Amino acid sequence: ASIASMDMRLLLQDDVFVDFFNTFLNLPVFGQTPIYISGMGRWYLWPELPSHLDPSTAALLAWLEKHRLPHFCKSSLCLHLVLCQKLLGFIRSGEAAELLNWQSADQWLLERCISGSHGMQHFRAFVQGTAGEELIDFWLITERLLGLNESDGSQRDLFLSLVHRLRATHLREGSSVITLCTTIVGSLPKAKHIQSISTRREILSKMQEQALFMIQSYWLPKFFMHCKMGMEEEESCQPLLQEYQERLSQASWQEPPGLSEPFPTMHIKRSQGVSGPYCSLKAKAQIWALVKEGRDTQESKMATFQVKPERHPGPAGSAEEFCLDKDALGSIPQQSGHPANTAFGGKRGVTFPGRPQSSAEQNLENLCKEKIFSDLLPSASLAQLPSLKKPVKTLDFLPWALSAEACAGRPFRDFLQCQNRSMETHLLDLWHDLEEFLPVVLDSSRENSFFLRHLIGEKICKTYLEEDSIEKLPLETRTLVSLWNRLICGEFSPWIFRAQKEICKLLCCLYEEFLADDDRMFLQFMAPGSDVPMPKVPGHAAGRWEHFHLSQRMNQSLKLSQALHGTRSLEGISSKHWQLLGARDLQKGGSVQAEMKLLL
């Protein structure tokens, strides 16, 4: 609420906010996907506006404040921003210095390690599988729950869903949260049956404070030691460690004068030589043509279907600030990744063991392969970069967009509700609930996996698949019955992919309307009253590289957002985390640009 009420220009003076907001803005559900480079004060728009226009930053900020910030404040990225700010506040405090004997250099280095969406992803990967993971998850759910008004009918379903999730996981007897907070709540049964809203909120708030203090005072220092040891082994982190040692050697370090200079004047990069009608749908199709054909080119070279169990990429992202080495192309998968990689056959591939398969089962297996297919070989050269000849339909990239929508505060759902499309809203909710169920049921190592898969499976069955509901859903009866048979027991079903594909077909045209509406809103602010053209695709090679850069930027935003949202399993700590830390500069694109630096 405090972020939503702040002036956008003031918010953008905070580099940590900018990092999380850039990650959000580049999620591929939206039409216009800008990025802000705070060190230059420069906005890059995509799709660009025509060169004859002189777009005003005031208009852009007003548009962001009305059409992006409200969705950001409902996203898991915003929750992680709030948690990150609380951790940074503790790191900078005198209390931390006194309690943990930290010097200013220690505080400076830990800030660098944990700031931004990449920093929070690294922290969460570090505590994965420990009590710290449960404490962070509890804090995030409680933060969202306490921000809701349960007497508001539009928020009540989400409120009750979060309450049920807490009871099934963190408020069950024996959980780390209950063990830590026993003195506050007395005992679990009492906490469950408290009727007073104010009392319940007060207890949850105190438990949340206790969990936060444990995260700050116990897990942050452990993370700090982990970072110092990991950075010593990584060459790209040596400049950071060198500056850390210099700060340690000076009792009263003075920040270099350049850091206190005024913020650069905010401006929008002017586009060059663009024409044609402005249309984000067409621009997305051009990027997805590159993504899809790049995937097909690589897949055709693979003798066997490979699955990497711990990497779950989604489609793409990077900025025009960086130019790629011709041999540095990374992987671009067809659809958002799922932790489904380990579902059938682990590292060897996807197989459905057992009896001979019917044609329907074979079709499902093919659909699973299409859905699960993750990394492409990072060996494509400039000559192998595909042409943009084949037309691409919205249905091809809709799963990509919907995966991002869950992390983006559900803007498409809001659009459907405004259009009074209750059935389509119901179908979209089912798509997302199935998406949430997949990583839980396919990754048994997740905290509270057993409880969550039964909770979510039963919720899906009761909300969408009961007899009185199932007749109203415009999906194949066989699909719905097959879902019920497995989900009611909290078990995985390949029919999940079939159901999601059927839903995409029904929502496809409405998503196109959503993008058109997003375009109209953007143009009302940026070019009121004018017939605004759309960027003309530059020369063939330049266009392909530009689209590749954009797809990489979006991919990085989606991967980060999914990992923090919980629809993608967190990767284990590896050398890549340290390389990203060395490459990350919050004033030069931050988290969504760091991976592109590694490709250089």
Side-chain angles (χ1 to χ4, degrees):
S2 60
I3 292 173
S5 63
M6 287 185 67
D7 178 73
M8 180 59 69
R9 200 175 289 270
L10 289 176
L11 287 171
L12 292 171
Q13 292 178 6
D14 178 357
D15 288 334
V16 177
F17 170 82
V18 169
D19 188 87
F20 280 95
F21 198 49
N22 272 336
T23 304
F24 167 82
L25 289 175
N26 283 272
L27 286 168
V29 65
F30 295 114
Q32 174 60 228
T33 54
I35 187 171
Y36 181 55
I37 309 300
S38 60
M40 303 167 64
R42 177 178 294 176
W43 283 98
Y44 292 88
L45 303 181
W46 183 83
E48 293 181 316
L49 289 170
S51 51
H52 71 270
L53 289 177
D54 185 16
S56 119
T57 54
L60 177 63
L61 295 183
W63 172 76
L64 288 167
E65 206 165 287
K66 183 171 182 180
H67 294 284
R68 290 294 185 265
L69 189 61
H71 295 298
F72 174 73
C73 290
K74 293 189 288 184
S75 71
S76 52
L77 282 168
C78 187
L79 291 176
H80 281 85
L81 167 63
V82 174
L83 178 57
C84 184
Q85 289 174 330
K86 288 187 178 294
L87 297 179
L88 290 172
F90 176 79
I91 292 168
R92 297 164 182 162
S93 68
E95 178 189 7
E98 183 178 348
L99 181 67
L100 302 168
N101 197 29
W102 279 343
Q103 301 181 43
S104 61
D106 298 321
Q107 295 167 316
W108 171 84
L109 185 61
L110 184 51
E111 278 190 44
R112 291 294 301 265
C113 293
I114 208 166
S115 292
S117 48
H118 250 311
M120 288 302 293
Q121 182 198 38
H122 190 172
F123 184 46
R124 295 207 62 181
F126 169 70
V127 301
Q128 192 172 15
T130 70
E133 178 182 16
E134 186 176 348
L135 293 174
I136 289 176
D137 193 48
F138 169 75
W139 190 94
L140 293 167
I141 294 174
T142 305
E143 182 71 9
R144 168 59 53 80
L145 190 148
L146 294 177
L148 297 173
N149 178 7
E150 65 179 288
S151 61
D152 183 342
S154 64
Q155 300 181 26
R156 184 162 179 77
D157 286 345
L158 176 58
F159 180 89
L160 293 176
S161 174
L162 294 174
V163 169
H164 292 320
R165 192 182 185 101
L166 281 178
R167 287 179 176 176
T169 55
H170 306 303
L171 298 184
R172 61 181 176 82
E173 203 160 0
S175 74
S176 299
V177 173
I178 289 297
T179 302
L180 174 67
C181 302
T182 298
T183 55
I184 296 175
V185 300
S187 66
L188 178 62
K190 290 181 183 177
K192 273 190 176 181
H193 296 297
I194 291 171
Q195 297 300 317
S196 166
I197 294 175
S198 60
T199 307
R200 181 171 57 197
R201 285 180 175 273
E202 185 180 347
I203 288 177
L204 278 175
S205 181
K206 287 181 178 179
M207 292 174 69
Q208 187 193 32
E209 288 176 15
Q210 187 74 14
L212 178 61
F213 180 73
M214 181 60 70
I215 295 166
Q216 292 170 331
S217 60
Y218 181 77
W219 290 104
L220 264 184
K222 288 176 73 71
F223 179 65
F224 180 49
M225 296 305 298
H226 156 80
C227 286
K228 285 205 295 184
M229 290 188 291
M231 291 168 70
E232 288 172 359
E233 305 296 324
E234 176 54 47
E235 184 179 350
S236 63
C237 290
Q238 295 311 304
L240 275 177
L241 287 177
Q242 184 178 350
E243 184 172 351
Y244 169 66
Q245 293 299 333
E246 290 173 359
R247 288 170 177 262
L248 274 179
S249 64
Q250 302 181 33
S252 55
W253 173 272
Q254 296 293 321
E255 292 287 352
L259 295 181
S260 59
E261 290 179 358
F263 292 98
T265 303
M266 191 180 294
H267 61 286
I268 300 171
K269 181 182 180 295
R270 294 290 296 271
S271 56
Q272 299 177 0
V274 296
S275 61
Y278 180 96
C279 178
S280 61
L281 176 62
K282 290 181 180 178
K284 275 186 183 297
Q286 289 171 337
I287 284 190
W288 188 246
L290 177 67
V291 171
K292 186 175 184 296
E293 292 188 32
R295 171 194 178 276
D296 294 343
T297 299
Q298 290 287 14
E299 186 178 0
S300 66
K301 296 178 182 179
M302 299 177 68
T304 58
F305 175 66
Q306 298 291 328
V307 174
K308 299 180 181 180
E310 288 191 353
R311 297 193 58 190
H312 323 292
S318 168
E320 58 189 275
E321 290 290 296
F322 302 108
C323 179
L324 285 179
D325 183 283
K326 68 163 82 173
D327 294 317
L329 277 177
S331 58
I332 318 175
Q334 179 177 0
Q335 296 188 17
S336 70
H338 283 292
N341 304 42
T342 54
F344 316 105
K347 293 184 180 181
R348 291 292 177 184
V350 173
T351 58
F352 286 73
R355 55 187 170 75
Q357 295 173 310
S358 67
S359 60
E361 288 171 328
Q362 184 63 48
N363 289 338
L364 277 177
E365 177 174 345
N366 293 336
L367 185 57
C368 286
K369 287 183 179 182
E370 177 185 331
K371 183 79 172 177
I372 294 166
F373 192 92
S374 57
D375 271 327
L376 305 176
L377 300 177
S379 60
S381 67
L382 177 60
Q384 293 170 333
L385 201 61
S387 64
L388 303 180
K389 294 179 180 178
K390 295 182 181 178
V392 171
K393 297 179 180 179
T394 306
L395 188 60
D396 292 327
F397 59 81
L398 186 55
W400 189 41
L402 294 187
S403 293
E405 204 239 356
C407 309
R410 306 292 301 276
F412 182 38
R413 186 183 196 277
D414 286 353
F415 171 79
L416 293 177
Q417 286 188 310
C418 289
Q419 300 294 315
N420 295 317
R421 306 302 290 256
S422 57
M423 174 53 71
E424 288 80 0
T425 303
H426 197 55
L427 287 171
L428 181 62
D429 290 342
L430 173 57
W431 195 98
H432 283 299
D433 284 343
L434 293 171
E435 189 86 343
E436 182 185 9
F437 180 72
L438 278 171
V440 174
V441 74
L442 294 173
D443 186 358
S444 59
S445 65
R446 281 191 171 219
E447 184 72 28
N448 294 309
S449 170
F450 175 81
F451 300 100
L452 282 176
R453 64 188 176 93
H454 282 278
L455 178 73
I456 300 171
E458 289 175 11
K459 174 196 169 186
I460 291 172
C461 289
K462 291 179 180 178
T463 306
Y464 310 99
L465 306 178
E466 296 278 9
E467 281 191 23
D468 58 338
S469 302
I470 203 169
E471 296 175 359
K472 300 175 185 176
L473 288 175
L475 304 181
E476 291 183 16
T477 303
R478 185 181 180 187
T479 302
L480 296 171
V481 171
S482 299
L483 282 179
W484 169 275
N485 290 338
R486 303 301 291 272
L487 267 60
I488 194 64
C489 304
E491 297 176 357
F492 169 77
S493 170
W495 289 92
I496 290 172
F497 303 131
R498 170 75 70 186
Q500 288 187 312
K501 189 168 187 176
E502 290 178 28
I503 291 171
C504 283
K505 289 179 179 178
L506 294 167
L507 296 179
C508 188
C509 292
L510 288 167
Y511 179 68
E512 292 179 353
E513 291 180 22
F514 163 74
L515 288 181
D517 184 70
D518 195 54
D519 288 354
R520 280 193 296 271
M521 293 301 105
F522 181 67
L523 297 179
Q524 281 180 14
F525 281 84
M526 303 303 293
S530 58
D531 183 16
V532 180
M534 145 138 198
K536 181 181 180 180
V537 179
H540 184 63
R544 290 187 293 155
W545 281 115
E546 180 186 4
H547 292 143
F548 176 76
H549 293 166
L550 287 163
S551 69
Q552 285 293 302
R553 195 170 85 200
M554 292 179 191
N555 186 47
Q556 187 59 18
S557 291
L558 183 56
K559 288 199 296 183
L560 277 169
S561 301
Q562 285 179 324
L564 295 177
H565 185 67
T567 47
R568 176 192 301 273
S569 292
L570 289 161
E571 296 178 2
I573 302 295
S574 66
S575 60
K576 185 178 178 182
H577 284 87
W578 309 116
Q579 293 167 5
L580 288 169
L581 175 58
R584 188 170 71 237
D585 185 335
L586 296 190
Q587 294 196 341
K588 295 180 180 179
S591 298
V592 296
Q593 298 286 59
E595 192 150 328
M596 184 55 70
K597 286 187 177 181
L598 300 188
L599 289 179
L600 298 176

